Amino acid sequence: MMQLLIENLSKTYPNGTQALKNINLTIPAGLFGLLGPNGAGKSTLMRTIATLQNADEGQIVLQTGNGTPIDVQKQKDEMRRRLGYLPQEFGVYPNISAEALLDHLAILKGLTHKAQRKEVVQNLLQQTNLYEVRKRAVAGYSGGMKQRFGIAQALLGNPEVVIVDEPTAGLDPAERNRFLNLLSEISENIIIIFSTHIVEDVKELCNNMAIINQGEVVMQGNPAAAIEQLRGKIWQTKVAKTELNHYRQTYHLISHKLNAGKMEIHILADQQPADSTFTPADVQLEDVYFSKVQLPDE
Ligand code: ADP
């Protein structure tokens, strides 16, 4: 069984920022969502898995279906052969068609046989729904199309592990859905890890997820199971904006949002609070997230 094991991974940058603090994760095949606020350490972790930088401590092991396990930080070439990567910033696209660019990138990936390469390129353009626009320059693509092109290039060479860093940032909701569906479709037999700071991104399509905050894993598992664990423990009520501080001090406040002029708050408590205005909330992944990632005080 293929899986990626991350064990006791720690990283401190030369300026003293401790970006990863003893990270332990088991990542099976399928779509894996890595959720956390900006600065949590997601990119650092992704770059380390993608062999672009090393951690100070700990190891990353790719257990392949058949052969011997790969120590990612030591066997970089072995890992790179099995890896597809879509970085957060892909940089500037040259002004050539998507088809020509993908063909070029395929050559760089070692697909030297022309007919074979053509087939691979056409298939990837179909799979990412770019075939109709293959003659257009990627530079002129919309954000969503660029990201789908990014996936097409990441899939060159049949990777077993695909890493996608914050792919939905800047996409509108329709593009986001379409993109996440694409990731889900291609994740059947390979490991796809994508990072995001948007809770909804990991809602439906990820079988497994982790939440990281300030360099630490604060939750990992199945999103639905995590929601189930909180059932009966999240309570909601509406309060005036001026009362917010009182509630913050009295209860374990996990979130608040303005709704028709009133503050709707969610708190975490094992039992119904004495304050009788609280009613059971319909638990969402946001509640899981905010029960693990403390909101900064305003
Ligand atoms: P995320 O991807 O979750 O936003 P990052 O991994 O980019 O988080 O950053 C984690 C922390 O490490 C942040 O505090 C960030 O400022 C810091 N950091 C990231 N890269 C560097 C670097 N090259 N040098 C110093 N600090 C860095």
Side-chain angles (χ1 to χ4, degrees), residues 9-22:
L9 207 69
S10 293
K11 170 75 178 180
T12 302
Y13 284 109
N15 68 359
T17 305
Q18 205 181 345
L20 301 177
K21 299 173 192 166
N22 198 31

Side-chain angles (χ1 to χ4, degrees), residues 11-20 34-47 53 88 165-166 195-197 212 215:
K11 170 75 178 180
T12 302
Y13 284 109
N15 68 359
T17 305
Q18 205 181 345
L20 301 177
L34 185 65
L35 178 65
N38 287 328
K42 302 183 295 297
S43 289
T44 301
L45 181 58
M46 306 285 248
R47 285 197 304 263
Q53 64 186 64
Q88 206 169 349
D165 199 354
E166 290 265 358
S195 67
T196 180
H197 62 273
I212 96 168

Side-chain angles (χ1 to χ4, degrees), residues 187-205:
S187 69
E188 204 168 318
N189 296 310
I190 60 177
I191 297 172
I192 299 195
I193 309 169
F194 82 100
S195 67
T196 180
H197 62 273
I198 303 167
V199 180
E200 291 98 89
D201 279 356
V202 284
K203 249 177 197 165
E204 276 147 33
L205 300 171

Side-chain angles (χ1 to χ4, degrees), residues 24 36 44 49 104 107 117 130 146 152 174 214 240 254:
N24 287 279
T44 301
I49 300 170
H104 175 73
I107 295 170
R117 186 170 72 245
L130 293 170
K146 273 185 185 149
Q214 296 183 354
I254 59 168

Side-chain angles (χ1 to χ4, degrees), residues 82-237:
R82 295 174 161 82
L83 178 78
Y85 180 50
L86 177 58
Q88 206 169 349
E89 298 287 337
F90 200 79
V92 181
Y93 287 96
N95 211 8
I96 61 171
S97 75
E99 189 177 40
L101 182 54
L102 199 55
D103 185 70
H104 175 73
L105 293 169
I107 295 170
L108 296 182
K109 266 269 170 176
L111 284 126
T112 46
H113 189 283
K114 197 169 179 201
Q116 225 169 44
R117 186 170 72 245
K118 178 154 187 173
E119 197 184 326
V120 167
V121 166
Q122 304 296 305
N123 283 341
L124 284 173
L125 289 168
Q126 299 268 16
Q127 200 177 4
T128 53
N129 224 334
L130 293 170
Y131 190 76
E132 302 297 315
V133 291
R134 68 191 183 282
K135 302 288 182 202
R136 282 167 56 184
V138 185
Y141 274 3
S142 72
M145 288 155 76
K146 273 185 185 149
Q147 289 301 65
R148 280 186 274 133
F149 182 83
I151 288 300
Q153 67 77 29
L155 289 177
L156 285 168
N158 290 325
E160 290 163 64
V161 180
V162 173
I163 293 176
V164 193
D165 199 354
E166 290 265 358
T168 61
L171 301 191
D172 68 36
E175 283 179 324
R176 251 174 59 199
N177 266 336
R178 184 171 200 178
F179 183 79
L180 292 169
N181 279 321
L182 171 64
L183 286 190
S184 174
E185 277 164 31
I186 61 178
S187 69
E188 204 168 318
N189 296 310
I190 60 177
I191 297 172
I192 299 195
I193 309 169
F194 82 100
S195 67
T196 180
H197 62 273
I198 303 167
V199 180
E200 291 98 89
D201 279 356
V202 284
K203 249 177 197 165
E204 276 147 33
L205 300 171
C206 296
N207 266 326
N208 283 285
M209 66 174 291
I211 300 175
I212 96 168
N213 189 33
Q214 296 183 354
E216 289 178 284
V217 176
V218 293
M219 175 268 164
Q220 67 174 305
N222 173 269
I227 290 171
E228 194 52 44
Q229 271 184 9
L230 279 186
R231 206 171 294 287
K233 294 180 181 171
I234 302 293
W235 308 88
Q236 67 181 15
T237 191

Side-chain angles (χ1 to χ4, degrees), residues 25-37:
L25 284 173
T26 301
I27 303 180
L31 190 56
F32 187 94
L34 185 65
L35 178 65

